[in-house]
Amino acid sequence: MQKTLLSLTTVMSLLVALSGCQPNVETPTESNDTQRVEQNNQQPLSIEQSKPAMVTEPAIDTKTCLELSKSMQEVDDTNKIEAIDALQKRLKNCLPTASNAEVLSLLENYQAMYGRFLTISQTMEDENFYTVMSMADEGKKVPEPLLKTLNPRLQYLIRLVEDDADVRVIYLGEGYYEFTHDLQAMVDIFTPYLRQDQKAFIERLAMDNQKIFWFDAAIAFSLQELIERAQFWEDYVARYPKGYAHQDAKYLSEVYRYLLLFGSENTQWTDDSIHEFVAPEYRPLMLKLARRPNSVLARDAQALLDFIALTDSQRQEKYPTSGIDENGDEMSEWAIARDQRAEALPMESPWQAATKNCFIGVVCVENDTE
């Protein structure tokens, strides 16, 4: 019995010893799974293996971007909004691979595309045109019988307005209406792929041109906003002397300078004799502008304030006039004051040599010479 127990003990000891020599077999853990995944990821993937959600769209090459520009140029006032939606999807895939020059070209084509798409032609049959456009401008639903008195294209665009499809109606004054779209939405598509000077330029135009510039020959915004715009463009030209669209920025700066000094046909900052500001808040605004450091605008504002302060006799002494116009007729007090102001504040109208329109989109476009 003792021999049997001894033999059993010996066998058990031998088994324990042998088990200690065997390699450990671990139960798979999360860390081991991760390690195997990382090892597998180091291996080249087949086309089938590379399909998961990390890649949702194929790469877009330069050729496709060029074709996209051509496709945009083919859109006109016969297309539906779905054509623009499809091009916009392709555009968003193209922009990350496009060069800076290509991005700017696509931006110009995109703006022109929307301009053609929203072109309207009113016909004699559209007897309720102004009523319908006025209602759309005010955000009112146009009754279907009234809407159907317009031509089919106008009906379609009005329905886009009512469906909030990035199209709206604006009133330009003097009985004119037009369709437009959200400029900021366009800017948001392009700005991630532009330089800072380019981004600053088009963002500013998008903000300013989302509303009209003129209204019945009057400036359609306040003197305070005019000063703010003028200061922006003066700063832009100084900050980016070789920046994007430098000549366009200089033109915009000159436009706002001119309007500050001379107003427009139906917007004047002073009375007819140019002795008093027509609104009490105008003088403080001009005085503040005159204190702007290192600024041509400050010089302009001070020159205007100095001219306003002159009496009629002082003006005649500094800026003598015969009081007779080029036709030999006697000049009015209004005309004399403006002639003397023009001599005191010499500046040519920026519109005389203007070749571009910078007040309808996010890039300046060549004036229509037709």
Side-chain angles (χ1 to χ4, degrees):
M1 182 67 177
Q2 290 179 350
K3 184 176 180 180
T4 304
L5 289 174
L6 179 61
S7 299
L8 182 59
T9 301
T10 301
V11 172
M12 292 297 294
S13 299
L14 182 59
L15 290 173
V16 170
L18 289 172
S19 66
C21 296
Q22 300 299 316
N24 291 328
V25 180
E26 297 180 356
T27 302
T29 63
E30 182 179 352
S31 60
N32 290 334
D33 289 342
T34 301
Q35 185 178 6
R36 282 195 295 273
V37 169
E38 291 175 349
Q39 291 173 346
N40 289 338
N41 284 342
Q42 295 174 3
Q43 302 298 321
L45 295 175
S46 68
I47 294 176
E48 288 75 12
Q49 289 174 311
S50 63
K51 285 184 179 178
M54 290 183 293
V55 180
T56 57
E57 294 289 346
I60 306 295
D61 57 19
T62 302
K63 180 180 178 182
T64 304
C65 290
L66 294 174
E67 291 175 350
L68 179 56
S69 292
K70 182 179 179 181
S71 297
M72 287 183 185
Q73 293 167 11
E74 294 172 350
V75 172
D76 59 20
D77 58 353
T78 64
N79 287 97
K80 301 293 187 181
I81 194 67
E82 288 77 11
I84 290 182
D85 292 341
L87 288 171
Q88 191 178 92
K89 290 178 181 178
R90 290 170 57 191
L91 175 66
K92 290 179 178 180
N93 289 318
C94 172
L95 286 173
T97 64
S99 68
N100 184 257
E102 289 165 351
V103 172
L104 292 174
S105 178
L106 287 167
L107 174 59
E108 292 179 6
N109 283 318
Y110 190 90
Q111 175 174 296
M113 172 187 69
Y114 249 113
R116 292 189 302 273
F117 176 76
L118 296 177
T119 298
I120 57 173
S121 57
Q122 181 194 355
T123 66
M124 295 301 293
E125 288 73 29
D126 301 319
E127 55 181 308
N128 296 308
F129 174 81
Y130 297 107
T131 301
V132 171
M133 296 294 276
S134 176
M135 293 182 67
D137 181 33
E138 296 170 3
K140 298 178 180 178
K141 176 74 173 179
V142 180
E144 192 67 17
L146 180 60
L147 182 60
K148 287 189 174 181
T149 63
L150 305 186
N151 67 63
R153 185 63 182 182
L154 284 172
Q155 293 182 45
Y156 177 72
L157 293 177
I158 290 294
R159 290 191 177 100
L160 290 183
V161 173
E162 294 179 343
D163 292 341
D164 197 22
D166 194 18
V167 177
R168 65 188 182 93
V169 169
I170 57 172
Y171 181 53
L172 304 178
E174 299 181 347
Y176 290 98
Y177 288 91
E178 71 176 20
F179 291 94
T180 186
H181 67 294
D182 187 355
L183 297 180
Q184 187 57 50
M186 176 165 58
V187 166
D188 291 343
I189 294 173
F190 287 89
T191 49
Y193 312 102
L194 295 174
R195 300 193 312 254
Q196 182 56 41
D197 59 316
Q198 297 164 343
K199 179 179 178 181
F201 186 97
I202 70 169
E203 283 185 332
R204 184 69 208 197
L205 286 192
M207 180 174 71
D208 292 345
N209 294 343
Q210 196 67 40
K211 52 188 176 182
I212 61 175
F213 192 97
W214 302 109
F215 187 86
D216 291 338
I219 300 170
F221 43 90
S222 68
L223 176 61
Q224 182 173 359
E225 183 174 341
L226 175 62
I227 291 174
E228 197 276 326
R229 292 188 187 193
Q231 291 178 145
F232 174 87
W233 289 112
E234 182 177 54
D235 290 342
Y236 182 92
V237 171
R239 184 173 183 180
Y240 305 111
K242 297 182 179 180
Y244 169 70
H246 181 67
Q247 290 303 315
D248 293 340
K250 287 180 65 177
Y251 165 67
L252 285 160
S253 181
E254 291 299 291
V255 165
Y256 290 115
R257 277 189 62 211
Y258 186 87
L259 293 177
L260 278 172
L261 293 176
F262 303 107
S264 73
E265 181 181 347
N266 288 337
T267 297
Q268 291 295 312
W269 315 121
T270 65
D271 60 6
D272 285 347
S273 61
I274 317 181
H275 281 305
E276 298 288 344
F277 286 102
V278 296
E281 66 270 19
Y282 289 172
R283 179 176 290 276
L285 288 172
M286 285 294 183
L287 287 170
K288 182 179 179 181
L289 180 60
R291 295 191 293 269
R292 177 175 165 85
N294 304 316
S295 170
V296 173
L297 292 172
R299 184 195 68 191
D300 292 341
Q302 189 60 58
L304 179 60
L305 289 165
D306 291 343
F307 181 79
I308 290 173
L310 294 175
T311 64
D312 289 340
S313 59
Q314 289 172 327
R315 291 179 184 178
Q316 183 63 23
E317 183 179 348
K318 292 191 69 172
Y319 313 108
T321 176
S322 65
I324 303 299
D325 65 19
E326 58 186 13
N327 296 321
D329 297 325
E330 184 177 352
M331 297 173 65
S332 66
E333 178 185 358
W334 182 93
I336 291 174
R338 273 146 187 77
D339 269 13
Q340 291 174 328
R341 180 181 61 181
E343 189 174 347
L345 310 172
M347 183 179 180
E348 292 185 3
S349 168
W351 288 284
Q352 290 181 353
T355 61
K356 288 187 175 181
N357 186 343
C358 297
F359 307 105
I360 59 172
V362 301
V363 295
C364 300
V365 297
E366 295 293 334
N367 281 325
D368 186 0
T369 57
E370 295 182 0

